[in-house]
Amino acid sequence: MDDFAPASELLAAPDAVSRFRRFASATGKRILEEESVFLVHHFDADGLSSGGVCTRALQENGVSFRRLSVKKMDAGVVKALSEAPEKCLLLCDLSTGFLKEISELARQGKTVAILDHHPPEDAELHENVSMV
């Protein structure tokens, strides 16, 4: 029985994990402070799941939002994002291959939060883009 560690030790996070948690939390807070949000998510299992979690969070916090489920990020979706009346874009499980276009939307005044587990392309992000 001496091989077991107390639960508190198992939950102690290394510095990188702690920083990630703080960044993710700050990003979430920022989204929940928005007047309205355009939530766009992939329509596969993980995209629907993350879109559902975000939908619930927005609803529970009284944030006005529209939601769109898409097959993939493409020029048509980028155009819809640029024309959206919402100033905040929440992108779940897609867009890591379109970071240059997403950063351009941020340069045009959009605030963008990307929640994705896919490795991102190599691109410089605008300061109004948060990627978790």
Side-chain angles (χ1 to χ4, degrees), residues 11-31:
L11 297 175
D15 189 51
V17 174
S18 293
R19 283 188 317 231
F20 173 79
R21 285 181 182 162
R22 284 193 301 273
F23 181 74
S25 179
T27 300
K29 266 186 176 175
R30 196 168 103 204
I31 293 164

Side-chain angles (χ1 to χ4, degrees), residues 60-82:
E60 287 181 356
N61 287 278
V63 178
S64 173
F65 70 97
R66 287 187 309 139
R67 187 180 71 185
L68 176 65
S69 181
V70 299
K71 182 176 181 178
K72 64 179 183 173
M73 179 64 76
D74 59 23
V77 175
V78 172
K79 184 174 191 256
L81 294 171
S82 71

